[in-house]
Amino acid sequence: MLKCFDTSYRDKIKRLLNVMLPIIGTQMAIIGMNFFDASMSGQAGDIDLAGAAIGGNIWMPVQTCVSGILMAAMPLVANLLGANEREKISTVVRHGLLLALAFSVLVLAAGVAFLPHFLQGMGLEPAVYNVALWYMVGIGIGVIPFFLITPLRSLIDTLGYTHLTMKIYMLALPVNALLNYVLIFGKLGMPRLGGIGAGVATGITFWLLLFLYAFIVTRLEPFKQFAVLGIVKPQSGWLKDYLRLGVPMGVSIFMETSIFGVVALFVAKFGTEVIAAHQAALNFSSLIYMFPLSFSLALTIVVGVEYGAKNYEGARDYTKLGLELSLAIALVYIALELIFRQYIALIYTSNAEVIELVKHFLIYAIMWQAGDAVAAPIQGILRGYKDVKATFWAGMLAYWGICLPLGLLLDYKFNQGAFAYWRSLDLGVLSSAVILSLRLVSLQKRLK
């Protein structure tokens, strides 16, 4: 169980790493599933990779937005732990599950009503359209369990048991890989579904994850004592608190992730090979993003507990430590990417033209990864402080006020092609890092 008031800097390092390292393992498993989707779809063919890429780019902003809203359970539970108000934790999680069900219904209804028309409006090749549509249908199998998982994971992680979440996802990873292999390539008597099989495999895996989480919270201590799967009568006060934190969190994450989906839509006009290269480089960058994201989630927990206990000095110590470690690790993976770009591209495709495009896109990806190494941890820190408006406005300005207009200008005015959008993404992420850094400095001065 997490405790506040660690007595030395060494204790804080140990506490942060105990929380963060299992989160990195979890993120490796999650990104590993996306990696198997992209790499196996790519080996099935460029059309399969492109179709799965389009479907994935549509699903990504939707799932991250809703998950971001539901993740409000994390700072809420962390603050309750710090304030020693454990009896309220069950109510928070139950309201999160209630909201998860409501959002699941809305997402599924919107998909049925609008997805085919949306894809038709993109002007895709018929084969790519077919893969993208049915990939999304496969994902739809697991929409309900995916959203229900988020409040349950928030409870387990915030109580300090991030190693359990890691074990859950590590168990699901080989199952997902096997399902991908069987469904994409038509093994064990199953039909060959290509990129569509990646979506179906992911949807089935979400159900497995939900069953594992439900087992833990109902059978194991200390989670069993909270009885979070019981029926809850909606209370307007708790719903308002949840949404007051969750909506800015979800919308800010949506603005960041959706920009990649919007960019994919503009990149689609440059042809199947460019789409495939774009997705390959983006997928590998998502793999690397597990490091700053893990720092973000861990810092939300440890800073949130300290802030709930009004131990502001401890919160500042965790902030400094988290940012230092994030930057140090970023230097390592950026150097490795520069050296091994050729081999990274070969993971996704054997097409020589696509390989060269991937290598170029990775150069730009490295630039925004440097910005993410600062921006993502600060987002987690600010959430621990229950300051979610700053991340909202930073995302709005950086991605939609700077990034998208610049990308369109470089494309349509200066004819820089697909690279226009990658250059604008670099500037957007770096702008976000600067804005969030300034906000954090201001907040910490106020809390001295």
Side-chain angles (χ1 to χ4, degrees), residues 94-306:
R94 289 188 183 190
H95 278 79
L97 293 171
L98 185 64
L99 288 170
L101 283 173
F103 283 122
S104 297
V105 173
L106 288 174
V107 168
L108 289 171
V112 171
F114 302 113
L115 181 62
H117 305 291
F118 182 77
L119 290 172
Q120 288 170 1
M122 291 176 62
L124 300 172
E125 298 175 17
V128 175
Y129 166 86
N130 184 66
V131 173
L133 177 63
W134 288 100
Y135 174 92
M136 292 294 291
V137 172
I139 290 289
I141 295 172
V143 164
I144 292 175
F146 179 82
F147 292 139
L148 288 174
I149 286 166
T150 304
L152 299 180
R153 178 184 172 183
S154 296
L155 171 68
I156 291 173
D157 287 357
T158 309
L159 290 175
Y161 293 86
T162 51
H163 63 280
L164 280 178
T165 290
M166 179 184 70
K167 292 176 181 177
I168 290 172
Y169 277 91
M170 285 298 182
L171 177 62
L173 178 60
V175 175
N176 178 257
L178 177 61
L179 288 171
N180 268 295
Y181 177 71
V182 169
L183 295 173
I184 290 175
F185 300 109
K187 304 299 181 178
L188 301 179
M190 299 298 292
R192 185 186 185 280
L193 299 178
I196 297 170
V200 177
T202 300
I204 295 172
T205 303
F206 289 156
W207 280 104
L208 171 63
L209 290 169
L210 178 60
F211 290 142
L212 292 172
Y213 270 109
F215 176 83
I216 286 176
V217 299
T218 56
R219 299 295 182 89
L220 302 182
E221 294 290 355
F223 320 108
K224 183 179 178 180
Q225 64 182 286
F226 295 107
V228 295
L229 295 187
I231 297 174
V232 63
K233 181 180 179 180
Q235 300 176 36
S236 60
W238 281 110
L239 288 173
K240 287 179 181 178
D241 284 347
Y242 207 110
L243 294 174
R244 180 178 56 83
L245 287 178
V247 170
M249 286 172 57
V251 174
S252 65
I253 295 172
F254 172 80
M255 287 188 294
E256 182 174 352
T257 56
S258 64
I259 195 67
F260 292 94
V262 170
V263 164
L265 301 182
F266 286 107
V267 167
K269 69 182 180 181
F270 297 108
T272 299
E273 290 184 336
V274 174
I275 296 174
H278 172 85
Q279 178 59 21
L282 190 60
N283 180 264
F284 189 80
S285 298
S286 299
L287 178 66
I288 295 299
Y289 185 64
M290 70 181 176
F291 292 107
L293 179 59
S294 297
F295 276 104
S296 180
L297 295 173
L299 288 167
T300 294
I301 295 170
V302 295
V303 171
V305 171
E306 300 293 330

Side-chain angles (χ1 to χ4, degrees), residues 38-68:
S39 60
M40 290 187 184
S41 295
Q43 296 303 326
D46 290 342
I47 288 176
D48 290 288
L49 176 57
I54 295 296
N57 283 321
I58 295 172
W59 166 240
M60 178 62 71
V62 174
Q63 63 103 343
T64 52
C65 176
V66 177
S67 295

